[in-house]
Amino acid sequence: MSQDPSRLSPLPSGRIEERFEDKSPRYTEAEAIAEANRCLYCVDAPCVRACPTSIDIPSFIRKIATGQVKGAARTILTANLLGQSCGQACPVEVLCAGDCVYNAWGREPIAIGRLQRYAVESALARDPRLFRAKPPTGKRVALVGAGPASIAAAGYLALEGHRAVIFEQRSIPGGLNTLGIAPYKMKGDEALRELEWVLSLGDVELRTGVSVVERAAAPGEVSTGDLIAGYDAVFLGLGLGADARLGIPGEDGEGVVGATAFIERLKADPRLDLAGVRRAAVVGGGNTALDVAHELALLGVDVAIVYRRSEAEMSGYAHELEGARVAGARLVENRVPVEVVREGGRVVALRVAPADARREAQGATPVAEELVPADLVAVAIGQSRATRVALAFEGVSLDARGRVVVDPATHRTGNPKVYSGGDCVNGGKEVVNAVAEAKIAARAMHEAMMTRAGGAAPGPAPQGS
């Protein structure tokens, strides 16, 4: 099913995510100017070096301070087409703001994310026509998956004059941005508005409800061979697969959910009902686990985060753990789940054992077990890799961890027509990393297509209208 870029279907009302307040609401003009005037506009600014997309942060902040909001937005979006969502969802505490020079002086760092959000949202609300696409080249690129990497790549390609066609098997596009970002950071409908803007940049078509398979045999399927034959290049923005499972007794059945699947329902499915869920156990120590715990705690649920190692060893960001704790979640560290306890089929607790005792048991019954009361168990211990589609393209290979192998300089795979980026390549990083990889791939695809066509060398970054 094709989508008119200006008429993406809205998400249904009654979703639980609508209950969440915005953690960092958009600045007013006065607030933005006041905060922008705190910036020192550093030469060789460390915040720029910390940004995966290398946004000229001092420049856009100076433009905000002098009332040039449109110029600020263009500076941001030239470097990062998903600058709006990154302004809301980026972990600035460990990226740009985390490297702000004010940190070394014991002062509050510049609120770079909120300034970025202010500039982009304000400018696009006034006039979304910030860029003008170059004349059509006649080249076509197929992009598999409608997540952040493909969306960004499609936008950059369209600005160069190429036709970009995005194939998405789900009915709701946007990937992580629409269905995975914590709703207190960004709502799904905000992600769709950003997607609509990217689709308006040039010749971009979004086809939802279409599966890319090795051999098409049914309506709604397109084969990998058809993409290779019918397009000048292919970009794989496959994301990640299903949530991993614990593999313990009692896991099957109602009351045990994969974390990403649960967040998706919370953001998009008005049928999700948490009535009766008073206590929850979230298993894992990464940012997804912390997001789920934070969300449930904000909904009034008593949440325990069960992690197999110590707090110091958690892969999740310290500021995200602190946020979950402030909302009411608690950490149960150095514990491993051994059983989901049920009564009459209903989840009542998660049985856990000390991690060291579990390892030392070597298959024996764990010792010193305890119960974590729970009506819901959310499992956030990783996701499978989206390997099936990738391997259906001749020459595309995976590394030992199931990630698509690419040349870091171009993000080209072993197939000269196939490129890739985002979570399926980096294993699961931030939206800003997906955009950075999409920029590399889009530039390389453009160069390859124009070289084959005998076209001119690539021009400078897209300029505004």
Side-chain angles (χ1 to χ4, degrees), residues 128-207:
R129 297 167 297 179
L130 296 184
F131 300 108
R132 181 177 64 243
K134 294 178 181 178
T137 63
K139 301 298 181 181
R140 307 198 318 157
V141 179
L143 302 100
V144 184
S150 289
I151 294 169
Y156 284 117
L157 290 164
L159 288 172
E160 292 289 358
H162 308 304
R163 174 167 170 74
V165 182
I166 306 173
F167 296 88
E168 170 57 51
Q169 64 180 352
R170 297 171 182 252
S171 60
I172 300 175
L176 174 67
N177 269 16
T178 306
L179 302 172
I181 291 176
Y184 51 83
K185 298 176 183 176
M186 186 172 75
K187 304 291 193 299
D189 50 9
E190 293 175 304
L192 290 179
R193 283 197 295 272
E194 181 179 53
L195 171 56
E196 287 179 346
W197 177 74
V198 173
L199 294 176
S200 74
L201 292 175
D203 191 358
V204 185
E205 181 184 356
L206 171 65
R207 300 181 186 177

Side-chain angles (χ1 to χ4, degrees), residues 23 125 133 144 214 226 276 289 310 322 337 342 406 447:
K23 183 181 73 170
V144 184
E214 187 171 6
D226 286 342
S310 69
E322 180 60 21
R342 296 178 179 271
V406 299
E447 291 179 351

Side-chain angles (χ1 to χ4, degrees), residues 84-436:
Q84 178 175 333
S85 56
C86 287
Q88 293 178 248
C90 253
V92 295
E93 296 86 349
V94 297
L95 293 174
C96 53
D99 270 15
C100 178
V101 296
Y102 276 138
N103 290 295
W105 302 339
R107 297 174 61 183
E108 189 71 19
I110 301 299
I112 298 170
R114 296 189 71 181
L115 287 172
Q116 180 168 312
R117 177 184 181 182
Y118 165 79
V120 176
E121 287 191 5
S122 299
L124 293 183
R126 296 173 189 173
D127 183 3
R129 297 167 297 179
L130 296 184
F131 300 108
R132 181 177 64 243
K134 294 178 181 178
T137 63
K139 301 298 181 181
R140 307 198 318 157
V141 179
L143 302 100
V144 184
S150 289
I151 294 169
Y156 284 117
L157 290 164
L159 288 172
E160 292 289 358
H162 308 304
R163 174 167 170 74
V165 182
I166 306 173
F167 296 88
E168 170 57 51
Q169 64 180 352
R170 297 171 182 252
S171 60
I172 300 175
L176 174 67
N177 269 16
T178 306
L179 302 172
I181 291 176
Y184 51 83
K185 298 176 183 176
M186 186 172 75
K187 304 291 193 299
D189 50 9
E190 293 175 304
L192 290 179
R193 283 197 295 272
E194 181 179 53
L195 171 56
E196 287 179 346
W197 177 74
V198 173
L199 294 176
S200 74
L201 292 175
D203 191 358
V204 185
E205 181 184 356
L206 171 65
R207 300 181 186 177
T208 56
V210 179
S211 297
V212 174
V213 296
E214 187 171 6
R215 294 181 180 84
E221 293 181 344
V222 60
S223 74
T224 56
D226 286 342
L227 295 187
I228 291 294
Y231 293 82
D232 297 283
V234 176
F235 179 82
L236 304 180
L238 304 173
L240 295 176
D243 293 294
R245 292 169 53 83
L246 292 168
I248 60 175
E251 182 176 15
D252 295 328
E254 293 291 325
V256 179
V257 297
T260 62
F262 175 76
I263 294 173
E264 180 177 326
R265 290 198 64 197
L266 184 146
K267 291 180 67 67
D269 187 356
R271 298 167 299 177
L272 177 63
D273 184 2
L274 296 180
V277 176
R278 296 178 294 108
R279 303 165 301 185
V282 178
V283 182
N287 289 312
T288 300
L290 299 180
D291 275 348
V292 172
H294 195 164
E295 291 158 9
L296 287 168
L298 288 174
L299 292 170
V301 177
D302 180 15
V303 181
I305 305 167
V306 178
Y307 181 53
R308 63 194 174 98
R309 294 182 177 142
S310 69
E311 177 178 338
E313 297 171 283
M314 294 180 76
S315 61
Y317 299 135
H319 70 272
E320 296 288 9
L321 175 59
E322 180 60 21
R325 278 177 162 155
V326 169
R330 68 187 188 280
L331 177 63
V332 179
E333 55 188 328
N334 297 309
R335 295 291 186 275
V336 292
V338 295
E339 180 188 6
V340 177
V341 181
R342 296 178 179 271
E343 291 181 359
R346 184 175 65 87
V347 172
V348 296
L350 180 68
R351 189 184 304 279
V352 301
D356 289 341
R358 180 65 169 171
R359 285 195 292 267
E360 293 168 1
Q362 295 181 341
T365 301
V367 297
E369 295 177 350
E370 56 189 290
L371 294 179
V372 177
D375 307 300
L376 176 72
V377 176
V379 181
I381 59 172
Q383 294 172 253
S384 63
R385 305 302 186 209
T387 59
R388 180 182 54 82
V389 173
L391 292 177
F393 288 91
E394 183 180 357
V396 177
S397 61
L398 309 176
D399 66 12
R401 296 173 59 185
R403 300 171 299 187
V404 178
V405 175
V406 299
D407 174 358
T410 62
H411 272 256
R412 193 180 75 178
T413 70
N415 186 318
K417 290 186 71 172
V418 180
Y419 298 72
S420 187
D423 285 352
C424 65
V425 169
N426 62 45
K429 290 188 177 181
E430 308 295 341
V431 173
V432 68
N433 299 99
V435 176

